[in-house]
Amino acid sequence: MAKIRVIINGREVLAPLGATVLEAASQAGIDIPTLCHHRALQPIGACRICVVEVKGQRNLQAACAFPISEGMEIETESPRVVAARKLILDMLFSERNHYCPFCETSGDCELQNLGYRYGIDHWVYPTYTQPFPVDATRKYFIMDQNRCVLCQRCARACGDLVANHTLGLRQRGAESMIHADANVPFGESTCISCGTCLQVCPTGALIDRRSSFMGRGDQTERVRSVCNRCSVGCGTRIVTRAGNVLRIEGDWDCAVSGGLLCKAGRFDPLYEERRRITQPLIRRKGKLEPAGWGDALKTVARQLEDAEAKEIALLVSGDATNEALYLAGRIFLKELKAKNVGLLSGAAPDWIGKKPGTFGELVGSGMILLVGADPAKDQPVASFRIKRLVDKGMRLIVVDDNDNGLAPYAEVTLGLADIAKAVEMADDAENVTVFFGTGLTEKAAKTLKKLGKKARFLALEPGVNTRGALAFGIHNGFKPQAAKVLYAMMGEQDMSGDVLERIGKSTFVVAQASYASPLTERADVVLPSAVWCEREGTLINMEGVVLKAERAVEPEGEALADWEILSQLADRLGKKLGASFKEISARAAKELK
């Protein structure tokens, strides 16, 4: 991209043609304060905090929206600029009830930081004394209108990023207020609790119930990781303090998700109510009793060594890392020759036989076909991206025999028996993206192939790391009734009643799990495994992208990461498959190539 020369604070800077003053300054490491602006949102230049002095311009200009030109001279902290920002802050602090010097509700908000930066230590203008509404009807976060500065970041994020369009602005002037739908309580609105509005709010107007008052920014740590709730693989930043997880934020730098998270990724892991398993257990005289790792693994190894290959079964959850899957494949498929191997979450059918497309290719499509999948329920961030394109005029056809969360956004909704009609409609489009899931039938797949080269296919896999499991050969068709020794690597998943009921009464069951469940109650040996924030490893998302999850806190109790448990089990079986995470990760990556 062509670059042009501008002068910022007397310093020559090269910036891309078409960049704004804010972008040019940011790329040069020059800080210009903002409030209504957010990197993920289109600039609107409403709050004017980012005003700068541009030579030749009579008025101060909003840096977030003003484009640079060759030779432009800009001052970002001139006396005139600073005076203007102070005036804006004085008015903002007077508009509602802001007590920033005393408030640590959100740790330290952007408005509070601006107040400190420009020395705002008293109210210049009379401030409000009347209370503004506080809405606490949502489970995860609160809306306090007293702290709102009407920057509309929340409403723009809800509409432009999530395409949910729940939030808006009502009334005018001093009566302006953020509202949900037709001004109903937020908890009764169409809000889907994805928390994007919460994350972009620059003040304490939107308050996270769980992490409020838990620490300022400089008292916390942020660890980049990957969400383990579905196969999209959204980037996260896990916020911790003193070894405790405070909250989960979307990672704006993540190419896969662009900072978005859904309720399942942002809040559900923090509100887990199941009982945690924190030490190995062995069933003795009909009762599960605490045991050491040595005894537990010795018991499991003896059962596996005494069993024939056809008597051994392996069942793996969809959220296992590649490192754990690699070791599971080596131990059970290659060393023990087990054939009864399955993936708990299942997988989308492989009838298309093409390399998966990417979300990035959506932009070049003229139409989206959604077949046998409901991303609004199972992969919400994928549905956000689809809805955003529909907002911009993209045609969406839903083909599903069940209720589908994206049906209200579709041009047409058809049953699978009418797949040919959908393909016929897609003939008018130059390029078509086909999302499909476990509901895709073989007959429908054959019909979709008629779209030929114009179609890109993307499987909405039901498990987090389904593609990783398939790559290691772990999806052979599990038959619980045939197992005499069942090794169930459950992670954080629960086993459904149907599978559980088909396990033989005499089957020796090993449950490698994070939480208590009917399976662990049935098990003969229980091995405690680490949860999402306690493990590191790689995952493959639905696009085929390898993503790295990082450990943010130490495992609780005696729990270990899945790969550590399997590595120790391999040692007990006399198989040397790698001793360190680095070594095993390298071997797993090599096998995936």
Side-chain angles (χ1 to χ4, degrees):
M1 180 178 289
K3 293 193 173 184
I4 59 176
R5 183 184 62 90
V6 296
I7 309 295
I8 304 179
N9 299 341
R11 174 182 159 192
E12 186 173 297
V13 170
L14 290 176
L17 180 66
T20 64
V21 172
L22 182 66
E23 290 168 339
S26 177
Q27 290 176 20
I30 300 170
D31 179 46
I32 297 176
T34 59
L35 197 60
C36 71
H37 177 76
H38 189 279
R39 55 183 288 191
L41 299 169
Q42 289 296 314
I44 59 173
C47 73
R48 312 295 292 178
I49 281 291
C50 67
V51 289
V52 294
E53 200 165 357
V54 180
K55 188 175 181 180
Q57 294 287 321
R58 184 174 61 181
N59 298 321
L60 297 178
Q61 301 296 330
C64 67
F66 199 79
I68 58 172
S69 58
E70 177 65 32
M72 178 182 284
E73 295 183 31
I74 304 153
E75 290 291 335
T76 67
E77 292 287 339
S78 68
R80 185 183 173 201
V81 166
V82 170
R85 288 180 188 151
K86 284 187 174 182
L87 174 64
I88 293 164
L89 288 170
D90 283 336
M91 291 192 289
L92 285 175
F93 278 112
S94 297
E95 279 187 349
R96 296 198 180 179
N97 300 320
H98 297 289
Y99 298 93
C100 290
F102 313 101
C103 174
E104 291 195 4
T105 305
S106 300
D108 42 357
C109 73
E110 294 176 45
L111 179 64
Q112 189 179 46
N113 292 340
L114 283 171
Y116 285 124
R117 176 170 175 169
Y118 289 101
I120 308 299
D121 55 8
H122 66 284
W123 287 283
V124 173
Y125 306 105
T127 187
Y128 277 89
T129 55
Q130 71 179 73
F132 285 79
V134 177
D135 189 317
T137 57
R138 277 183 289 202
K139 178 179 179 180
Y140 303 109
F141 51 104
I142 296 167
M143 176 69 198
D144 184 353
Q145 302 280 2
N146 292 280
R147 306 287 186 262
C148 181
V149 293
L150 302 174
C151 68
Q152 300 181 61
R153 274 194 193 178
C154 56
R156 288 185 286 146
C158 184
D160 298 347
L161 300 183
V162 185
N164 208 53
H165 305 288
T166 296
L167 302 182
L169 196 65
R170 67 182 171 87
Q171 301 289 17
R172 292 183 177 180
E175 300 298 322
S176 297
M177 210 80 70
I178 294 293
H179 73 285
D181 295 332
N183 195 27
V184 300
F186 287 89
E188 299 174 13
S189 70
T190 55
C191 172
I192 55 175
S193 294
C194 68
T196 308
C197 58
L198 171 68
Q199 187 168 336
V200 300
C201 178
T203 73
L206 285 164
I207 306 165
D208 181 28
R209 285 181 183 267
R210 192 176 183 280
S211 67
S212 59
F213 299 103
M214 297 291 280
R216 299 176 62 84
D218 59 5
Q219 297 171 322
T220 60
E221 296 179 0
R222 282 175 165 77
V223 177
R224 291 187 71 179
S225 193
V226 180
C227 178
N228 77 331
R229 298 290 148 165
C230 79
S231 54
V232 174
C234 297
T236 62
R237 289 183 185 264
I238 305 171
V239 183
T240 68
R241 184 181 183 187
N244 297 303
V245 177
L246 302 185
R247 61 182 177 273
I248 304 170
E249 297 176 345
D251 182 359
W252 301 113
D253 294 321
C254 177
V256 169
S257 53
L260 297 179
L261 289 177
C262 65
K263 169 182 154 304
R266 189 187 301 274
F267 297 114
D268 285 356
L270 305 176
Y271 287 79
E272 179 62 61
E273 295 182 345
R274 290 176 293 174
R275 180 170 62 83
R276 185 73 190 275
I277 297 173
T278 58
Q279 63 183 135
L281 304 169
I282 297 177
R283 187 173 297 281
R284 296 188 177 104
K285 297 180 180 178
K287 184 180 179 183
L288 283 174
E289 296 179 351
W293 272 108
D295 286 345
L297 290 172
K298 183 180 177 182
T299 303
V300 175
R302 187 169 59 240
Q303 290 290 331
L304 291 172
E305 288 170 335
D306 290 346
E308 297 181 26
K310 63 181 181 182
E311 297 173 332
I312 298 172
L314 171 69
L315 184 63
V316 175
S317 74
D319 70 345
T321 63
N322 290 330
E323 289 72 19
L325 293 169
Y326 163 76
L327 287 174
R330 287 299 305 267
I331 294 171
F332 288 90
L333 273 64
K334 295 186 178 178
E335 301 292 345
L336 299 175
K337 310 297 184 186
K339 302 293 184 187
N340 191 1
V341 176
L343 183 61
L344 185 63
S345 57
D350 187 27
W351 288 318
I352 300 297
K354 286 189 175 183
K355 185 180 177 183
T358 66
F359 283 117
E361 293 172 330
L362 271 174
V363 178
S365 293
M367 176 182 283
I368 297 173
L369 289 184
L370 180 63
V371 184
D374 187 356
K377 177 170 68 73
D378 299 321
Q379 298 91 7
V381 170
S383 76
F384 301 165
R385 300 185 77 150
I386 293 172
K387 288 193 296 182
R388 272 159 44 178
L389 290 170
V390 172
D391 277 352
K392 295 176 181 177
M394 178 80 77
R395 299 172 65 195
L396 170 66
I397 297 176
V398 171
V399 185
D400 199 347
D401 287 340
N402 302 310
D403 291 338
N404 195 295
L406 287 184
Y409 304 88
E411 177 182 316
V412 178
T413 299
L414 302 168
L416 281 164
D418 294 321
I419 186 70
K421 186 176 180 181
V423 170
E424 186 179 328
M425 295 175 71
D427 269 343
D428 297 335
E430 188 173 342
N431 293 301
V432 179
T433 297
V434 180
F435 287 93
F436 66 95
T438 53
L440 177 70
T441 62
E442 188 172 4
K443 181 180 178 182
K446 285 181 179 177
T447 307
L448 287 170
K449 285 184 177 180
K450 294 178 182 177
L451 290 169
K453 294 182 178 179
K454 72 160 57 179
R456 306 179 186 92
F457 293 89
L458 192 52
L460 292 164
E461 297 288 0
V464 179
N465 194 23
T466 298
R467 294 191 62 83
L470 297 177
F472 288 110
I474 301 177
H475 187 44
N476 296 341
F478 175 63
K479 297 177 181 176
Q481 62 275 19
K484 290 194 175 179
V485 179
L486 168 60
Y487 195 100
M489 203 166 81
M490 304 304 298
E492 298 180 52
Q493 280 192 277
D494 287 337
M495 184 180 284
S496 69
D498 177 54
V499 176
L500 192 62
E501 289 170 4
R502 286 189 288 147
I503 297 173
K505 291 183 179 178
S506 61
T507 302
F508 187 88
V509 176
V510 181
Q512 182 171 312
S514 305
Y515 296 103
S517 70
L519 178 70
T520 60
E521 293 301 316
R522 160 68 180 81
D524 297 281
V525 176
V526 179
L527 306 175
S529 63
V531 297
W532 59 278
C533 57
E534 301 169 344
R535 67 177 189 177
E536 62 181 333
T538 55
L539 305 163
I540 304 176
N541 80 344
M542 64 172 67
E543 302 168 279
V545 179
V546 178
L547 305 166
K548 180 75 175 2
E550 297 287 356
R551 174 187 289 190
V553 295
E554 292 298 315
E556 188 173 338
E558 298 178 35
L560 296 174
D562 287 327
W563 73 265
E564 290 180 274
I565 300 171
L566 291 168
S567 178
Q568 292 187 28
L569 176 61
D571 288 344
R572 289 281 174 180
L573 292 167
K575 317 296 182 186
K576 301 299 179 185
L577 302 179
S580 68
F581 173 80
K582 185 177 181 182
E583 185 180 358
I584 293 167
S585 188
R587 291 185 182 186
K590 185 178 180 181
E591 192 160 316
L592 286 171
K593 286 182 179 177

